[in-house]
Amino acid sequence: MNILIMRDYNEISRQAALLVAASIALKPNLVLGLPTGRTPIRMYKELVVIYKNGFVNFSDVVTFNIDEYIGLPRENPNSFYSYMHNNFFRHINIKKENIHIPNGMAKDIKKECVRYENLIRKKGPIDLMILGIGYNGHIGFNEPSDEFIPETHVEVLTERTRMANSRYFGSLAKVPSEAITMGLGTIMHSKKIILLASGRDKAETILRAVKGNITPRFPASILRLHRDCTFILDRDAAGLIKKK
Ligand code: F6R
């Protein structure tokens, strides 16, 4: 695993955006795995700027979002569908048919998981997967568990994750209790993985991901077994690994 430590949130975002743009320049039909959340927002903004300056072309890029809440309609401002369109897709020249996000409103959620997994297999593997990390080590919505679950599946969100995400919903009660997420096998099959983390509140999490046991009780630890995974961290998020 490689670790890149940069000055601050702006720098890690710019670095990640440049890496995505360079990957698209090398492979215009790049298959890109994408997260939501607080961390990647600035990376998306930077990518939009790079696009508007004419330095990246998304017309053949294919995207797969890593997760989506179950039971939130697309048009709900807290759905990951809304997040992705508001922060990124509507500002770039990506084709609608190349955007893939799990449908958390599907009548048969289990079937939807199978459909999504098969689609990734058909169009994939994912060339470049961008990840954030939850305080409890979750990636996508793969929460701490007794086993690494390989494929796209339904995940019951932990109290800690729902608390962290309640900042967007106004109250804990409004945060959905379940989500569809890519599994850890699907993530690990990506050719290249970039994980972004920023802020002192992620330092303990990063320490565990980098130096703790490899265990499904801390899902991000599995990334240490990937042959091309880079953590891009700001100084605050890297604060504890630098000291120890
Ligand atoms: C969301 C996702 C999650 C987030 C994680 C960190 O699509 O994949 O794993 O990356 O919860 O979220 P932030 O960036 O808000 O701290």
Side-chain angles (χ1 to χ4, degrees), residues 24-105:
I24 295 169
L26 291 172
K27 187 175 187 238
N29 60 347
L30 193 81
V31 181
L32 189 57
L34 294 173
T36 59
R38 175 187 54 133
T39 311
I41 286 197
R42 178 121 211 134
M43 174 193 76
Y44 291 131
K45 280 206 171 86
E46 292 283 350
L47 273 169
V48 170
V49 171
I50 296 171
Y51 167 70
K52 289 199 167 146
N53 286 330
F55 293 119
V56 63
N57 177 3
F58 291 92
S59 62
D60 289 325
V61 171
V62 175
T63 61
F64 281 96
N65 265 83
I66 190 166
D67 46 15
E68 176 61 284
Y69 289 117
I70 292 176
L72 275 195
R74 280 176 165 188
E75 52 282 2
N76 185 303
N78 288 312
S79 74
F80 291 164
Y81 181 95
S82 289
Y83 171 107
M84 288 307 300
H85 284 78
N86 293 338
N87 288 301
F88 193 38
F89 295 146
R90 78 156 62 131
H91 308 287
I92 59 171
N93 68 334
I94 190 163
K95 292 190 184 107
K96 257 192 183 159
E97 62 269 30
N98 287 346
I99 296 173
H100 305 289
I101 303 175
N103 177 7
M105 292 297 286

Side-chain angles (χ1 to χ4, degrees), residues 177-202:
S177 52
E178 291 181 325
I180 298 179
T181 182
M182 270 184 213
L184 291 161
T186 319
I187 293 171
M188 289 295 279
H189 278 121
S190 309
K191 291 186 194 161
K192 183 178 188 67
I193 299 178
I194 300 289
L195 183 143
L196 301 176
S198 157
R200 207 161 293 167
D201 58 337
K202 289 278 170 79

Side-chain angles (χ1 to χ4, degrees), residues 154-167:
V154 172
E155 192 76 33
V156 177
L157 304 182
T158 61
E159 191 78 354
R160 193 162 183 209
T161 297
R162 292 182 65 239
M163 281 289 279
N165 291 4
S166 64
R167 60 180 178 248

